[in-house]
C-alpha cells in the first residue's frame, strides 16, 4: 500500500484500513489519479502523517482541500514547497504572523518546520482535481477526517484546534475540549477583512502557555 505514516499512527491506520469506506477511498484515489491530473502527488497525500507523531501534536490547523494549481500542493494544509509562489491565503496568513509576532516568513511558503514544532496542518479533503476545488469532497475523505478528529480527541484532550472558515468550523462538534478551539474567518482574499487583526498566532501561543506547553516557534 502506498499510504505511509509514522509509527505512532499505526493504531489509527490499522483500524481505518479494515473499514470498507477507507478501502473504497483508496480505490477512488487510484482511479482519480489515473483518469485526471490531481494534486498533490499521490505519494504526498498522507505525507503529513510521516512528519509528526500523534503525541507531538500541539495545534491542529484545519484546512479544506489542497491547492489545485500545478506544483503548489505538498501534502500540508496552506503550505507550498520552497521556490513556489506563495498563494494568496498563505500571504494573508504571513501578514498576520508578521503583525502578531514580528515573524517575517515571506521568503518561503514551505511550512514543514511548523509541523516539526507541533502544528498539524491538515486538509480534511486530502486530494483534488487540477483547477477544480472540492472535486474530491465526496470520495470518502469526510469520513476519514471525522474519524481522525474523533481519534485525536480520544487519545488527547490538550490539543488546540484552529478552525478558519465555516467549513473548518463544522469539525468543532468532534472536539471534546471546547476551550481549546480558536475560531475565525478563512484567510482567503474573499474573507481577509474578517480574518485580519484577530491575533490568531498570539492566541495560539498564549493558550499553549496557559496549558503549560512550550510555544510554537513560527519562524523559518
Amino acid at each position: 500500500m502506498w499510504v505511509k505514516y509514522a509509527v505512532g499512527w499505526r493504531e489509527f491506520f490499522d483500524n481505518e484500513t479494515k473499514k470498507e469506506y477507507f478501502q473504497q477511498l483508496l480505490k477512488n484515489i487510484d482511479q482519480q489519479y489515473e483518469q485526471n491530473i490531481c494534486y498533490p502527488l499521490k505519494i504526498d497525500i498522507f505525507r503529513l502523517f510521516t512528519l509528526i507523531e500523534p503525541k507531538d501534536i500541539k495545534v491542529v490547523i484545519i484546512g479544506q482541500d489542497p491547492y489545485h494549481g500545478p506544483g503548489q500542493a505538498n501534502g500540508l494544509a496552506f503550505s507550498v514547497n520552497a521556490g513556489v509562489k506563495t498563494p494568496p491565503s498563505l500571504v494573508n496568513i504571513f501578514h498576520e504572523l508578521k503583525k502578531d509576532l514580528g515573524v517575517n516568513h515571506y521568503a518561503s511558503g514551505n511550512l514543514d518546520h511548523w509541523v516539526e514544532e507541533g502544528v498539524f496542518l491538515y486538509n480534511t479533503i486530502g486530494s483534488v482535481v487540477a483547477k477544480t476545488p472540492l472535486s474530491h469532497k465526496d470520495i470518502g475523505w469526510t469520513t476519514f477526517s471525522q474519524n481522525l478528529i474523533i481519534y485525536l480527541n480520544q487519545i488527547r484532550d490538550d490539543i488546540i484546534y484552529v478552525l478558519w472558515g465555516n467549513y473548518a468550523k463544522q469539525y468543532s462538534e468532534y472536539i471534546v475540549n471546547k476551550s481549546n478551539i480558536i475560531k475565525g474567518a478563512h484567510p482567503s482574499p474573499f474573507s481577509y477583512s474578517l480574518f485580519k487583526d484577530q491575533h490568531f498566532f498570539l492566541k495560539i501561543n498564549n493558550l499553549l502557555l496557559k496549558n503549560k506547553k512550550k510555544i510554537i516557534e513560527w519562524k523559518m
Side-chain angles (χ1 to χ4, degrees):
M1 189 170 67
W2 49 267
V3 178
K4 306 293 183 186
Y5 46 85
V7 65
W9 292 103
R10 184 173 296 155
E11 178 186 36
F12 172 70
F13 277 96
D14 279 353
N15 285 332
E16 297 309 296
T17 52
K18 297 172 186 173
K19 299 175 183 177
E20 184 178 348
Y21 94 87
F22 189 78
Q23 296 166 15
Q24 187 61 50
L25 170 62
L26 296 187
K27 290 177 183 176
N28 290 340
I29 291 170
D30 284 336
Q31 183 181 50
Q32 286 290 315
Y33 274 70
E34 287 172 7
Q35 296 176 350
N36 304 294
I37 297 172
C38 298
Y39 303 118
L41 295 173
K42 193 161 79 167
I43 58 170
D44 286 339
I45 291 176
F46 291 96
R47 187 171 74 91
L48 176 61
F49 294 89
T50 70
L51 299 179
I52 188 169
E53 304 276 8
K55 66 180 179 62
D56 296 323
I57 296 174
K58 295 179 179 178
V59 181
V60 173
I61 297 180
I62 293 182
Q64 190 163 292
D65 60 347
Y67 297 122
H68 51 85
Q72 293 181 305
N74 68 4
L76 312 184
F78 299 106
S79 177
V80 294
N81 288 328
V84 175
K85 182 179 179 182
T86 307
S89 292
L90 188 53
V91 169
N92 290 338
I93 289 170
F94 289 164
H95 281 330
E96 298 310 299
L97 178 60
K98 180 75 181 296
K99 285 192 288 185
D100 264 12
L101 302 175
V103 174
N104 185 331
H105 208 302
Y106 298 107
S108 175
N110 188 309
L111 305 180
D112 280 20
H113 57 289
W114 286 10
V115 180
E116 293 167 5
E117 281 286 308
V119 184
F120 195 71
L121 296 165
Y122 181 67
N123 278 321
T124 56
I125 304 165
S127 55
V128 68
V129 175
K131 301 179 182 178
T132 317
L134 297 177
S135 46
H136 284 178
K137 68 181 178 67
D138 297 322
I139 69 170
W141 281 115
T142 300
T143 303
F144 177 79
S145 294
Q146 289 172 356
N147 290 353
L148 173 63
I149 301 302
I150 290 168
Y151 172 76
L152 288 176
N153 277 266
Q154 287 172 341
I155 64 169
R156 300 274 306 279
D157 64 358
D158 58 347
I159 295 173
I160 296 168
Y161 292 85
V162 180
L163 311 179
W164 286 333
N166 291 331
Y167 183 87
K169 290 173 187 174
Q170 297 174 28
Y171 284 83
S172 63
E173 66 177 288
Y174 306 110
I175 300 168
V176 176
N177 189 348
K178 305 300 184 187
S179 64
N180 277 343
I181 296 176
I182 296 172
K183 294 182 180 180
H186 194 275
S188 95
F190 301 106
S191 52
Y192 180 58
S193 62
L194 299 173
F195 179 82
K196 68 179 182 179
D197 299 322
Q198 297 304 303
H199 307 297
F200 292 113
F201 296 97
L202 278 172
K203 288 177 180 176
I204 292 168
N205 277 354
N206 285 339
L207 193 48
L208 285 169
L209 289 173
K210 182 181 176 183
N211 293 343
K212 296 181 170 54
K213 291 186 176 292
K214 185 180 176 183
I215 63 171
I216 304 296
E217 294 292 342
W218 300 97
K219 62 183 181 293
M220 286 183 283

